[in-house]
């Protein structure tokens, strides 16, 4: 077994990436405070051809060296926008036909493995603050919630890890 070189991986250029068909999947970051988490979500979104990231509230925005350090250039390839208010961003997505799901543990959340999505219907997932999660008013505005099953003593994951799990699972279903 030989590790593949960058040339052998056949990666597209940043310009080519912008022309590639993306999944109709938007990631909404609800008041995420860590620049490293934001950068990691950008990098993961690039890996799985995510349509867009919406940075809400006090979520840090590119350009910033701490975001860039983790994103490794993905802030230049993944489309993004800023919205001052997460609830407004969610309602806008809904008005444009997106099904919006919070990534949160709720009384009615659906296990991630049970989510049915084939990559055709526009979908948005909302990931919340590192301490408080997705704001309750935002959860109330969503069509539902996705829960990542956990069996240990902790009942939360780092947002960048949660984003990686959710985006990979949705990418695999598409």
């Amino acid at each position: 077994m030989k590790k593949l070189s960058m040339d052998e991986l056949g990666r597209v250029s940043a310009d080519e990436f912008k022309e590639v068909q993306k999944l109709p999947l938007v990631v909404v970051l609800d008041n995420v405070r860590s620049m490293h988490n934001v950068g990691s979500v950008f990098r993961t979104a690039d890996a799985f051809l995510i349509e867009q990231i919406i940075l809400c509230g006090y979520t840090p925005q590119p350009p910033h060296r701490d975001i860039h350090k983790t994103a490794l250039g993905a802030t230049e390839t993944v489309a993004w926008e800023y919205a001052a208010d997460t609830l407004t961003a969610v309602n806008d997505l809904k008005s444009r036909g997106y099904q919006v799901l919070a990534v949160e543990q709720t009384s009615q959340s659906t296990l991630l493995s049970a989510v049915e999505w084939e990559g055709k219907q526009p979908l948005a997932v909302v990931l919340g603050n590192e301490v408080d999660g997705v704001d309750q008013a935002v959860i109330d505005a969503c069509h539902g919630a996705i829960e990542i099953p956990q069996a240990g003593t902790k009942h939360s994951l780092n947002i960048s890890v949660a984003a990686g799990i959710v985006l990979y699972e949705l990418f695999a279903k598409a």
Side-chain angles (χ1 to χ4, degrees):
M1 184 178 332
K2 174 189 162 292
K3 181 178 175 178
L4 296 176
S5 70
M6 292 304 279
D7 288 337
E8 292 170 314
L9 289 173
R11 303 286 185 202
V12 298
S13 70
D15 289 334
E16 292 169 325
F17 180 89
K18 291 176 182 177
E19 300 303 318
V20 171
Q21 173 99 21
K22 309 295 185 303
L23 286 177
L25 178 57
V26 171
V27 176
V28 178
L29 298 183
D30 179 23
N31 291 307
V32 172
R33 65 175 188 223
S34 164
M35 290 191 214
H36 296 287
N37 281 335
V38 172
S40 182
V41 172
F42 267 96
R43 192 166 166 189
T44 302
D46 177 282
F48 298 128
L49 294 174
I50 304 308
E51 178 183 315
Q52 180 185 32
I53 298 173
I54 302 176
L55 308 170
C56 300
Y58 55 75
T59 303
Q61 304 161 51
H64 193 284
R65 69 181 181 98
D66 287 340
I67 294 172
H68 180 70
K69 182 194 250 182
T70 312
L72 294 179
T75 56
E76 304 302 318
T77 56
V78 177
W80 67 273
E81 68 181 63
Y82 172 75
D85 180 67
T86 309
L87 191 55
T88 301
V90 165
N91 287 329
D92 178 61
L93 286 164
K94 288 170 59 178
S95 74
R96 293 190 288 142
Y98 284 80
Q99 178 185 20
V100 183
L101 302 173
V103 178
E104 190 61 81
Q105 298 162 335
T106 73
S107 59
Q108 297 177 0
S109 54
T110 301
L111 289 180
L112 176 58
S113 59
V115 171
E116 294 182 18
W117 187 65
E118 296 175 354
K120 293 175 179 50
Q121 177 189 3
L123 178 65
V125 293
V126 182
L127 293 140
N129 173 273
E130 292 88 344
V131 174
D132 299 320
V134 179
D135 183 84
Q136 184 62 54
V138 173
I139 292 170
D140 293 342
C142 290
H143 293 105
I146 299 171
E147 183 174 337
I148 301 168
Q150 299 167 59
T153 60
K154 303 302 175 200
H155 296 286
S156 67
L157 295 166
N158 179 285
I159 182 175
S160 64
V161 172
I165 292 168
V166 170
L167 296 180
Y168 170 76
E169 182 77 17
L170 294 171
F171 174 81
K173 289 174 186 278

